[in-house]
Amino acid sequence: MTELRLSAFAAHRGTVVPLAPLTLLAGPSGSGASSVLRAYEALSRLAAGASLAEVFPDPAGCVPEGAAPDRQGRRGFRIGCTADGPAGPVRLELAVQAEPTLRIVGERLTRAGQTLLSTALRDPGRPALQAAWHTADELPVRREQLPDDRLGTALLPLRVAGRTPGQLQVLAAAEQMVVALRPAFACEPRPHRMRTPVPPGEGLLRRDCGNLAAVLHAARNGQGQGQGQVYRYGHGRRHARLVALANAGCARPVTGIDVERPADGLFRAVVARGDGPGTPLERLGDGELRYLALAVALLMGPGADPADGHSEVPQALQTLTVLADGLDRDLDGQQTRELLTAAASASAAGHVRLLGTVTEAGAARARGTAGAAVVDLEP
């Protein structure tokens, strides 16, 4: 993803946000930094096949303030993005009606000025859009109906045969857009949730990071199932990097990260302190917990460790975009610098991308971090 466009969304009108592998958004309160992350996550979920209602539970809140309804009482919003890759820069534009009913009213996928897919609402009484896509065949355009609650670009691989050069162009552009958008994770650590022991069986980090202990255990690939045992999170490079980050960002030295499973069967994470007693996760401060959760999110994305990669998986599919609203919230300067340095290293290697919001102090530190791009937003 190289660009996000908020043509008319929440506090934004005509906002264009360039996206680097490590992008930090800064600006005063009311500048709409959080809305940028919200728009990115919405496009990502739509690309993954989610419905419009799942992605926008409060669509009226996405309509720009003061936007007047048209003669039919309709109001809506528009967002878009650009994904670069083998097919070249591909642009997606999406127009959504929020009122009186939530529905997509138009979508356009273009490459090099050529429209590859366009949809339009022809009959307001039907839950469908008239779609047309490029074929370069005897009939230069194929026309079908698509549902008005799903992203048409994500549906194209199921609809386009790929028999003609034109169809192959459409498929390549659609797949490039979907592949670029889909791997995104909104990370919003909630320290109070991370202090509660959790049951096993959760290998994917939740948005609030409340299952951090279970995730650290799952990284051991299910080894050591007995009660009363202690599990060491990993033995490779990711573990070493995580411990190094924890040591740099915690108040006392950290030599390891363990996961205990007492007789009650619940997992509890413990920060090891050398030969002395470890510190249970629930005893860490809010800043330390947020710092640790964000470090795990950055280090455990797809392909975070080259040894974990699989040759049959395209490199683009191994790149996760972490969305971190308030990246430096509750963090001190040292913690912020360490996280930014780790994110810059991971993004330079192509393993993880980061789009986050920061305070002015965080933005100043980001400007001093090689590889970080700061976008200043205005109210």
Side-chain angles (χ1 to χ4, degrees), residues 181-263:
L181 276 173
R182 284 184 61 175
F185 172 56
C187 186
E188 299 179 357
R190 306 294 187 196
H192 69 282
R193 294 182 181 271
M194 297 165 61
R195 292 189 170 95
T196 304
V198 293
E202 296 188 71
L204 296 177
L205 193 63
R206 293 201 304 255
R207 186 187 192 111
D208 63 6
C209 302
N211 64 332
L212 184 63
V215 170
L216 293 175
H217 169 70
R220 286 279 292 156
N221 298 318
Q223 296 179 13
Q225 295 297 319
Q227 294 181 347
Q229 299 185 33
V230 176
Y231 305 85
R232 179 72 64 179
Y233 164 54
H235 294 287
R237 280 175 265 179
R238 278 189 298 178
H239 173 66
R241 290 199 294 267
L242 180 61
V243 171
L245 273 175
N247 183 57
C250 290
R252 294 167 52 204
V254 174
T255 58
I257 298 176
D258 303 327
V259 178
E260 298 177 347
R261 189 180 185 185

Side-chain angles (χ1 to χ4, degrees), residues 356-377:
T357 68
V358 290
T359 62
E360 288 300 322
R365 293 184 178 93
R367 290 187 179 94
T369 302
V374 179
V375 177
D376 293 297
L377 300 174

Side-chain angles (χ1 to χ4, degrees), residues 133-142 161-168:
W133 57 80
H134 178 66
T135 65
D137 203 352
E138 293 84 0
L139 294 175
V141 174
R142 174 71 180 270
R163 296 193 183 96
T164 69
Q167 291 175 347
L168 291 174

Side-chain angles (χ1 to χ4, degrees), residues 136-156:
D137 203 352
E138 293 84 0
L139 294 175
V141 174
R142 174 71 180 270
R143 301 184 186 279
E144 283 190 19
Q145 288 192 335
L146 294 178
D148 66 353
D149 67 338
R150 307 279 173 170
L151 188 69
T153 296
L155 298 175
L156 283 180

